[in-house]
Amino acid sequence: MNAQQVLENLQRRFPNEPEYHQAVEEVLSTIEEEYNKHPEFEKANLIERLCIPDRVYQFRVNWMDDKGNIRTNMGYRIQHNNAIGPYKGGLRFHSSVNLSILKFLAFEQTFKNSLTTLPMGGAKGGSDFSPRGKSSAEVMRFCQAFMLELWRHIGPDRDVPAGDIGVGGREIGYLYGTYKKLTHEFSGILTGKGLEYGGSLIRPEATGYGNIYFLMEMLKTKGTDLKGKTCLVSGSGNVAQYTIEKVIELGGKVVTCSDSDGYIYDPDGIDRAKLDYIMELKNLYRGRIREYAEQYGCKYVEGARPWGEKGDIALPSATQNEINEADAKQLIANGVMAVSEGANMPSTPEAIQVFQQAKILYAPGKAANAGGVSVSGLEMTQNSIRLSWTMAEVDEKLKSIMKSIHEACVKYGTESDGYVNYVRGANVAGFMKVAKAMMAQGTI
Ligand code: NDP
């Protein structure tokens, strides 16, 4: 079955899952040439097997709110592929969560994890429960109820979830406590854990830092770095916060960030003190980014994204499909030279085309944001050997992983005119490793 037939089959079998189709189409369109060099793949129906998740768990989660009402949400875990290691991928708690979004994320995760050089398969999960506006007691009761179902499907050598949108240190703690209670085991079953109970140094920072390490590698190919560059960041959660921190440290200036209600524009730049304010606002008080504009007297734009502002580098760090074709054209018109994705699939296919036609540096999330899962992998290793590495050790390993992902992208993505197509590079490199492992393991 060729790539087009596989895609048509998926669309027929799984209608109403547009994000899943979008992610599959993007990968298939870039690996076809490589795939065609291997007739043995076709014989083993490898593409179709790689596109359809190994299994999908779907369950109802009941929990009690602070008023004593019983509330119901949906819970999911997609175990996509474990050819190269145990299933691994985050949990997302957000009202927009559905099967299509989680299937796209689990599919992407498989290639991303393959790129990290660590032995991890691909998975994703979550719920349409949103922690926003809920008390900590409500969040805890929800996490406990969610884990009451999930625990039987996961395990340190089977499937190791982590955080994602709406699932940070607080949620991981509640989920971990429940798993421990149910199994009577203290094991490395989740990553992103607190340092006191098996977490890794640098895990909270890893996705944002890793994105900037990747960006620095890209900039190096153009003989430049971050000094004096103006950056547009979206989001103000975990990934955005540590992206901003690393940009400041390396001499760049971040003038925007956002949440789902709107964005702020601070022409003086977000400095260390302002970033501390954002961290406290978002992680402690769980407030809105509008309050930053009130605090520092800068512009706040309700219901919009920051891509119309002027900058040298765009670092989308909020959610999928947050840069459309018009945004991409605006960014190019404003002179953007690089886009490096902290979020998963933040650019639509049309936007990616605009970036690539303009021949700017463009790194897809599965390469640029792989630092998060990489340090999750390092957390698993530390749990297995029952040791904790220092901050410097983990940071050094993260840097070296991001460098090797960049090298793989250049190796597989350099085109005849010298332009590096990072999308092709990441997809082909990620695909080949998983494909070879699947072939070696037979047609199961
Ligand atoms: P957080 O929940 O910490 O932060 C998410 C941020 O994005 C918040 O500012 C949130 O605003 C905003 N946001 C969420 N949904 C939307 C939306 N539909 N429209 C506009 N803004 C939105 O999540 P993370 O920072 O962990 O994740 C951000 C992105 O990075 C996601 O795409 C995630 O998959 C990806 N990622 C995360 C990794 C990690 O290690 N955490 C690893 C690799 C990728 P609000 O507060 O209003 O909800």
Side-chain angles (χ1 to χ4, degrees):
M1 203 179 289
N2 66 31
Q4 190 53 39
Q5 287 166 325
V6 169
L7 189 64
E8 281 165 14
N9 258 350
L10 289 188
Q11 287 162 345
R12 183 179 48 76
R13 271 183 177 150
F14 310 108
N16 310 316
E17 296 188 2
E19 292 87 358
Y20 174 47
H21 304 155
Q22 182 184 333
V24 170
E25 188 167 10
E26 187 239 90
V27 169
L28 294 190
S29 66
T30 54
I31 62 165
E32 199 164 7
E33 199 183 314
E34 194 64 30
Y35 178 80
N36 288 337
K37 291 184 197 157
H38 296 271
E40 72 277 16
F41 289 174
E42 174 113 21
K43 211 163 160 223
N45 196 22
L46 197 94
I47 290 197
E48 192 173 35
R49 288 165 53 206
L50 188 49
C51 290
I52 299 177
D54 287 354
R55 64 193 67 80
V56 174
Y57 296 108
Q58 187 169 344
F59 45 90
R60 175 171 48 77
V61 184
N62 291 338
W63 56 281
M64 189 186 284
D65 69 19
D66 286 345
K67 295 192 178 116
N69 302 309
I70 303 299
R71 309 269 290 262
T72 297
N73 284 96
M74 290 308 300
Y76 309 90
R77 185 70 180 166
I78 318 291
Q79 294 179 338
H80 190 86
N81 186 294
N82 66 351
I84 64 169
Y87 299 109
K88 179 92 195 88
L91 296 172
R92 177 176 291 193
F93 290 171
H94 192 271
S95 53
S96 64
V97 162
N98 57 36
L99 260 185
S100 174
I101 288 176
L102 295 180
K103 281 168 78 174
F104 116 63
L105 288 163
F107 175 78
E108 289 270 301
Q109 193 80 44
T110 302
F111 296 91
K112 182 190 306 188
N113 293 2
S114 164
L115 281 173
T116 64
T117 70
L118 304 174
M120 298 181 288
K124 203 82 190 188
S127 173
D128 58 359
F129 168 85
S130 172
R132 187 174 159 185
K134 308 286 192 308
S135 71
S136 275
E138 289 177 322
V139 170
M140 181 173 77
R141 288 194 291 274
F142 174 79
C143 289
Q144 290 170 338
F146 182 83
M147 190 50 96
L148 269 177
E149 274 294 333
L150 185 68
W151 75 279
R152 65 190 83 242
H153 308 303
I154 60 177
D157 294 316
R158 187 172 175 186
D159 182 354
V160 183
D164 190 70
I165 292 178
V167 179
R170 174 183 64 171
E171 289 76 15
I172 292 290
Y174 295 147
L175 291 164
Y176 189 77
T178 313
Y179 182 85
K180 191 165 61 80
K181 186 85 179 168
L182 287 163
T183 58
H184 299 195
E185 271 173 21
F186 193 101
S187 63
I189 179 53
L190 290 154
T191 58
K193 299 185 290 297
L195 287 177
E196 305 77 10
Y197 61 96
S200 173
L201 286 160
I202 302 280
R203 176 59 190 91
E205 295 87 346
T207 308
Y209 280 18
N211 188 19
I212 300 307
Y213 295 153
F214 193 91
L215 171 70
M216 291 294 281
E217 292 297 318
M218 289 204 295
L219 293 175
K220 215 191 286 175
T221 67
K222 300 285 175 199
T224 186
D225 59 24
L226 259 170
K227 284 194 196 79
K229 305 266 187 326
T230 299
C231 301
L232 308 175
V233 171
S234 65
S236 50
N238 171 270
V239 177
Q241 291 170 17
Y242 291 104
T243 297
I244 297 173
E245 183 167 277
K246 198 43 98 179
V247 171
I248 297 173
E249 190 188 313
L250 295 178
K253 178 161 102 165
V254 176
V255 292
T256 66
C257 67
S258 67
D259 60 22
S260 43
D261 294 339
Y263 78 89
I264 59 104
Y265 174 69
D266 184 344
D268 297 333
I270 300 171
D271 60 17
R272 181 71 247 181
K274 291 172 178 174
L275 178 59
D276 287 342
Y277 172 86
I278 293 175
M279 287 178 163
E280 206 172 295
L281 176 74
K282 285 292 173 183
N283 308 343
L284 223 58
Y285 301 115
R286 301 183 188 270
R288 311 307 301 157
I289 203 64
R290 170 181 29 82
E291 296 166 51
Y292 177 102
E294 288 157 12
Q295 175 78 9
Y296 295 106
C298 69
K299 178 166 101 176
Y300 170 70
V301 186
E302 178 87 21
R305 289 164 177 158
W307 314 123
E309 302 296 345
K310 210 164 158 37
D312 304 304
I313 294 165
L315 301 163
S317 310
T319 193
Q320 66 275 354
N321 292 328
E322 54 168 318
I323 301 183
N324 62 25
E325 185 177 12
D327 298 325
K329 285 184 172 157
Q330 186 63 57
L331 285 167
I332 297 294
N334 283 345
V336 144
M337 64 171 300
V339 178
S340 200
E341 296 182 342
N344 283 311
M345 208 167 76
S347 308
T348 64
E350 297 77 20
I352 296 172
Q353 222 175 5
V354 171
F355 296 143
Q356 291 182 330
Q357 274 166 5
K359 304 257 176 200
I360 64 159
L361 298 168
Y362 166 69
K366 70 168 76 65
N369 72 31
V373 73
S374 299
V375 176
S376 274
L378 299 178
E379 182 173 330
M380 289 166 73
T381 307
Q382 292 169 82
N383 291 163
S384 297
I385 60 174
R386 299 185 192 281
L387 281 176
S388 298
W389 292 329
T390 64
M391 194 173 271
E393 279 174 300
V394 180
D395 199 29
E396 208 37 59
K397 287 182 168 62
L398 170 62
K399 262 187 209 151
S400 127
I401 289 170
M402 297 316 294
K403 198 165 184 275
S404 81
I405 297 174
H406 184 266
E407 278 163 10
C409 290
V410 171
K411 178 174 169 193
Y412 289 102
T414 303
E415 295 182 339
S416 52
D417 62 357
Y419 178 67
V420 182
N421 183 331
Y422 285 90
V423 177
R424 170 168 301 138
N427 287 343
V428 172
F431 164 74
M432 284 309 286
K433 183 171 167 189
V434 179
K436 284 180 184 169
M438 287 174 74
M439 290 301 293
Q441 292 169 27
T443 54
I444 40 148

